[in-house]
């Protein structure tokens, strides 16, 4: 199930199940989006990206969906594994922010139950 | 693949001292690098944009005299936390984008492994 912690929402899933992590972005002019995975004590690791002229993109075991109408982004992880446990952040590239700055969402902690 | 190396990974310093954190792009050039700060259980907050050969651009509320940024080459940016205080204790992360690829289109930013700063 999903719960909201002090600062970070948490999603708990059973190993082997599919995970869906959601993100609402704020700027309708944002044209590029990235999902990052961050393990404890480490820097963010690139997972997958999508440009605003697309609504779906697939990678290995991951799919990103973009709904520009409601400014919503989701990350789907198929057959979730214990190694997927981490905090996941969406990031948006806002035009005019300068130098390709990224603005990060609040993050979701994914816990995989063996 | 593109690698960003950040050093040190952990540092403990006394109040009032200064600490320098290095961010290097190992296999690509980066005209622009970014410095973030992250508190426990929170997201990354952009502190400043480091520009090679020119002054850094600081986000609102970030003291430029407190957080000195130098981007002396296309592969190295440094962040110096001056006169550190316990409230400066945090996780500092840098990122960079590949110049050549970024010139054509938006591309992902690559992140360093972060630096855990503890000021005692």
């Amino acid at each position: 199930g999903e719960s909201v912690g002090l600062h970070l929402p948490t999603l708990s899933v059973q190993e082997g199940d599919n995970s869906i992590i959601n993100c609402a972005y704020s700027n309708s002019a944002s044209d590029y989006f990235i999902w990052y995975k961050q393990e404890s004590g480490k820097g963010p690791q690139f997972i997958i990206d999508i440009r605003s002229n697309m609504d779906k993109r697939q990678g290995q075991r991951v799919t990103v969906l973009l709904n520009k109408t409601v400014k919503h982004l989701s990350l789907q992880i198929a057959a979730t594994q214990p190694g997927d446990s981490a905090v996941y952040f969406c990031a948006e590239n806002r035009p005019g922010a300068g130098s390709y700055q990224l603005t990060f969402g609040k993050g979701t902690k994914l816990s995989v139950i063996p | 693949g593109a690698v960003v190396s950040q050093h040190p990974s952990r540092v403990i310093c006394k109040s009032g001292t200064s600490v320098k954190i290095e961010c290097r792009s190992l296999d690509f050039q980066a005209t622009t690098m970014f410095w973030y700060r992250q508190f426990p259980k929170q997201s990354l907050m952009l502190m400043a944009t480091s520009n090679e050969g020119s002054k850094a651009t600081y986000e609102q509320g970030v003291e430029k005299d407190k957080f000195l940024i130098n981007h002396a080459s296309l592969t190295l940016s440094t962040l110096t936390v001056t006169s550190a205080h316990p409230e400066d204790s945090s996780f500092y992360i840098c990122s960079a984008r590949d110049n050549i690829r970024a010139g054509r289109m938006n591309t992902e930013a690559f992140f360093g492994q972060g630096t855990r700063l503890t000021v005692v």
Side-chain angles (χ1 to χ4, degrees), chain A residues 51-69:
Chain A
R51 305 187 192 287
S52 59
N53 60 351
M54 304 170 68
D55 54 21
K56 180 179 180 179
R57 189 161 188 233
Q58 287 185 294
Q60 187 178 13
R61 275 204 311 123
V62 294
T63 301
V64 55
L65 299 177
L66 174 62
N67 185 331
K68 294 183 288 294
T69 303

Side-chain angles (χ1 to χ4, degrees), chain B residues 3-115:
Chain B
V3 177
V4 174
S5 176
Q6 194 172 333
H7 177 80
S9 57
R10 290 179 179 271
V11 58
I12 300 173
C13 71
K14 292 184 178 180
S15 289
T17 62
S18 296
V19 173
K20 180 185 283 187
I21 303 170
E22 292 187 349
C23 180
R24 293 180 185 273
S25 56
L26 297 187
D27 51 1
F28 65 98
Q29 292 183 334
T31 304
T32 304
M33 294 185 177
F34 303 92
W35 287 97
Y36 294 84
R37 183 173 181 175
Q38 186 179 31
F39 290 107
K41 296 186 178 181
Q42 294 191 28
S43 188
L44 284 75
M45 296 300 295
L46 181 66
M47 298 175 64
T49 302
S50 173
N51 304 299
E52 187 268 336
S54 64
K55 292 183 179 180
T57 305
Y58 290 82
E59 294 301 298
Q60 192 172 9
V62 178
E63 301 176 55
K64 59 182 179 182
D65 295 329
K66 171 79 173 172
F67 300 99
L68 300 179
I69 291 174
N70 183 278
H71 195 148
S73 76
L74 287 172
T75 59
L76 174 63
S77 174
T78 61
L79 168 68
T80 301
V81 183
T82 63
S83 186
H85 290 280
E87 56 265 32
D88 297 325
S89 297
S90 189
F91 194 53
Y92 293 86
I93 312 172
C94 70
S95 77
R97 270 170 141 145
D98 185 315
N99 261 13
I100 294 175
R101 293 183 64 207
R104 295 196 300 269
M105 63 184 74
N106 280 337
T107 63
E108 70 273 24
F110 298 97
F111 285 81
Q113 58 267 56
T115 297

